[in-house]
Amino acid sequence: MAGLVEDWAQQIGWSVQKRNVILEGRSDVLFLKLAAKLYREERGIDVFNDFGVLAAGDGDDGGVDGVNRRLSAARQLAEYDLTPAGAKRYRFIGLFDNDEAGRRALKRACNFDPRVVRYEDVFLLHPVMPIAGGSPGSVVEKRAETLNYDFRRLDWEVEDLFSPDFLRAFVADYPNAVVHETTIGGRTHRDLSRDGKTALREFAEKYATLDDVIDLIRLICSLRDYLHLQHNHILPTQGDSG
């Protein structure tokens, strides 16, 4: 018999696992799932066998406000969806793009519900995502700041994690896809037009290799760590990605 979370998830079109990450949009989910597919095909390991990545929604239903709405609802339902022993059956965390909107949304999430802890329940995406290893959120956030000090003024989104060579090839084929480009500390963030985002999805599905998505796999390892799932079997030398 389906529980509260499963009934609600079915209504909004989510396929939930016991542990889940809510992202701003469907492109973010598609890119992570593409990376997982390439990794599974080459290495024979399914990195999503025991946790899910979920899009907050499309258009006005997605974005940072969508993450906060969905996360709040999911956490409330999970409070009452318990095993016979009284343990929570589901866990949800949120991941925001590291831009002005994402930084505001992370602060709002924690102000609205003091039980939502920075870098335990909600995270900003960085070029280098720390491994928590069970550390408190305050420690993880400080480590993220230290690891990303050179990039502290750089906005960052999931698509920025494709390899530089792959993204340069994409821009060469679709020069009008980029609205604005910023490079700091050797890392580049590109603001893409709506059509540009669509073109990148199609380009990635057609041309991306495992080498092109290895930083996306590193992100998946970090997300698994935040959800208290094993990750060293995916990238055996996995530490903080860099």
Side-chain angles (χ1 to χ4, degrees):
M1 180 177 177
L4 294 172
V5 170
E6 289 169 320
D7 284 342
W8 173 70
Q10 186 175 25
Q11 291 176 31
I12 64 173
W14 275 1
S15 178
V16 294
Q17 299 269 12
K18 298 302 180 186
R19 297 171 185 178
N20 305 273
V21 181
I22 304 174
L23 301 113
E24 292 187 22
R26 297 192 187 280
S27 290
D28 299 330
V29 171
L30 183 150
F31 293 144
L32 289 177
K33 288 188 172 181
L34 173 62
K37 173 178 175 288
L38 293 170
Y39 193 86
R40 184 176 64 251
E41 289 174 350
E42 187 158 327
R43 303 285 177 85
I45 297 173
D46 183 1
V47 300
F48 283 144
N49 67 317
D50 51 4
F51 91 101
V53 284
L54 308 168
D58 294 317
D60 292 338
D61 288 332
V64 296
D65 291 334
V67 172
N68 274 339
R69 282 194 299 269
R70 297 299 198 200
L71 181 63
S72 178
R75 283 170 57 89
Q76 289 181 52
L77 289 171
E79 288 283 340
Y80 299 99
D81 197 332
L82 307 176
T83 68
K88 291 181 185 177
R89 297 173 61 215
Y90 295 94
R91 184 174 179 223
F92 295 86
I93 62 174
L95 180 67
F96 299 102
D97 289 342
N98 198 346
D99 53 19
E100 184 177 350
R103 293 185 286 270
R104 286 199 309 264
L106 183 140
K107 184 179 293 186
R108 281 200 304 271
C110 300
N111 289 342
F112 175 74
D113 184 352
R115 296 172 300 175
V116 174
V117 179
R118 295 169 65 100
Y119 289 81
E120 290 183 22
D121 301 306
V122 285
F123 300 80
L124 289 175
L125 178 66
H126 298 277
V128 184
M129 292 296 285
I131 293 297
S135 298
S138 58
V139 174
V140 180
E141 182 171 11
K142 182 64 176 176
R143 182 154 181 73
E145 291 172 355
T146 300
L147 289 168
N148 294 279
Y149 182 80
D150 290 342
F151 321 122
R152 62 194 181 280
R153 295 185 179 90
L154 186 67
D155 288 352
W156 203 249
E157 300 179 10
V158 170
E159 55 260 37
D160 295 320
L161 290 169
F162 281 101
S163 73
D165 286 346
F166 174 83
L167 289 170
R168 281 192 288 267
F170 168 70
V171 173
D173 279 8
Y174 296 91
N176 295 328
V178 180
V179 176
H180 185 260
E181 182 174 301
T182 304
T183 299
I184 298 175
R187 300 270 187 158
T188 300
H189 165 67
R190 296 173 178 86
D191 291 310
L192 301 180
S193 67
R194 183 174 300 229
D195 288 345
K197 287 180 179 289
T198 300
L200 180 59
R201 291 197 297 268
E202 295 172 352
F203 192 84
E205 289 179 318
K206 188 172 183 180
Y207 296 113
T209 67
L210 180 58
D211 286 342
D212 295 322
V213 300
I214 203 66
D215 277 349
L216 290 162
I217 296 297
R218 290 193 176 100
L219 171 60
I220 291 169
C221 287
S222 293
L223 294 174
R224 291 180 63 87
D225 174 68
Y226 305 152
L227 290 165
H228 310 302
L229 295 169
Q230 207 274 334
H231 58 84
N232 287 329
H233 66 294
I234 299 171
L235 293 176
T237 59
Q238 169 72 14
D240 296 321
S241 60

